[in-house]
Amino acid sequence: MRKDATSNDLDDAALLAKVRDGDLGALGGLFDRHEGAVRRIVERLGVAPGDVDDLVQTTFLAVPRAAERYDGRPDARPWLVGLAVREVRGHRRSLARWTRRLTAWAYEPKVDVPTPEREATVSRDVARTAEALARLSEKKRDVLVLVTLEGLSGEEVAAALDIPVATVWTRLHHARKEMLAHVFEEES
């Protein structure tokens, strides 16, 4: 019985021409000849041992699609190694995307589900703050609201209220002090 001429008697360019025409037996011949070289390059590129077989296989599975671009050299090993390098790069990009997604998922902020106890605490704190704010004199309250809640500068508050800047800072200091005293007075 005669051996198949595809794998033994033809050079790589002829095998690739057959692959391009749909002959998967010729692809097997290329695999038999060059699988070792492709495997070595994949391993030397630092691919995890568990992924080497997959990348060797995907390299050869890419051959039928890429055969159209083969330049016709009789030795296809450098071309196959180039395909392997591209497969390894794609694999690394895929792993990087997967790692980013996993990392993002792992560090997603936990949704803070309000509990009745937390809602009661927030309500109590809001009520205490509103009551402490109401106890302030009008002048101190105006300065505290404009600086702390509205974010205006001391100069802007002084211009708005037609008072000296030093007065703004004095009123603000006393307003904060009284607010803290009122809040902590109710807690004890």
Side-chain angles (χ1 to χ4, degrees), residues 41-89:
I41 194 67
V42 169
E43 289 171 342
R44 288 177 179 165
L45 288 173
V47 172
D51 294 332
V52 171
D53 286 338
D54 291 340
L55 286 166
V56 170
Q57 182 179 6
T58 57
T59 298
F60 282 96
L61 289 175
V63 168
R65 290 187 312 272
E68 295 282 333
R69 297 185 306 273
Y70 186 65
D71 62 8
R73 288 178 277 177
D75 182 11
R77 188 171 54 88
W79 182 76
L80 288 167
V81 166
L83 284 178
V85 169
R86 283 190 287 281
E87 290 296 324
V88 168
R89 286 179 185 159

Side-chain angles (χ1 to χ4, degrees), residues 17-34:
K18 286 181 163 275
V19 169
R20 187 177 53 240
D21 294 338
D23 183 353
L24 295 182
L27 181 59
L30 282 171
F31 182 86
D32 291 342
R33 282 184 191 171
H34 299 291

Side-chain angles (χ1 to χ4, degrees), residues 81-100:
V81 166
L83 284 178
V85 169
R86 283 190 287 281
E87 290 296 324
V88 168
R89 286 179 185 159
H91 175 71
R92 286 186 179 142
R93 282 190 303 270
S94 177
L95 284 177
R97 281 191 301 270
W98 183 80
T99 302
R100 282 192 303 272

Side-chain angles (χ1 to χ4, degrees), residues 43-180:
E43 289 171 342
R44 288 177 179 165
L45 288 173
V47 172
D51 294 332
V52 171
D53 286 338
D54 291 340
L55 286 166
V56 170
Q57 182 179 6
T58 57
T59 298
F60 282 96
L61 289 175
V63 168
R65 290 187 312 272
E68 295 282 333
R69 297 185 306 273
Y70 186 65
D71 62 8
R73 288 178 277 177
D75 182 11
R77 188 171 54 88
W79 182 76
L80 288 167
V81 166
L83 284 178
V85 169
R86 283 190 287 281
E87 290 296 324
V88 168
R89 286 179 185 159
H91 175 71
R92 286 186 179 142
R93 282 190 303 270
S94 177
L95 284 177
R97 281 191 301 270
W98 183 80
T99 302
R100 282 192 303 272
R101 286 183 193 135
L102 184 61
T103 302
W105 176 78
Y107 291 109
E108 274 188 21
K110 303 281 189 247
V111 176
D112 190 19
V113 179
T115 63
E117 179 183 355
R118 177 145 170 77
E119 287 180 1
T121 301
V122 168
S123 295
R124 184 188 68 230
D125 290 347
V126 167
R128 280 184 185 166
T129 303
E131 187 177 324
L133 191 60
R135 286 183 174 183
L136 292 176
S137 71
E138 185 176 315
K139 292 178 180 180
K140 291 176 188 171
R141 184 175 41 246
D142 291 347
V143 169
L144 181 72
V145 168
L146 292 175
V147 172
T148 306
L149 301 178
E150 294 300 317
L152 297 178
S153 70
E155 290 77 18
E156 292 169 324
V157 173
L161 299 179
D162 197 29
I163 58 175
V165 175
T167 304
V168 170
W169 297 125
T170 302
R171 289 180 185 174
L172 182 62
H173 169 75
H174 290 292
R176 286 177 175 164
K177 190 175 178 181
E178 287 177 32
M179 285 282 295
L180 286 172

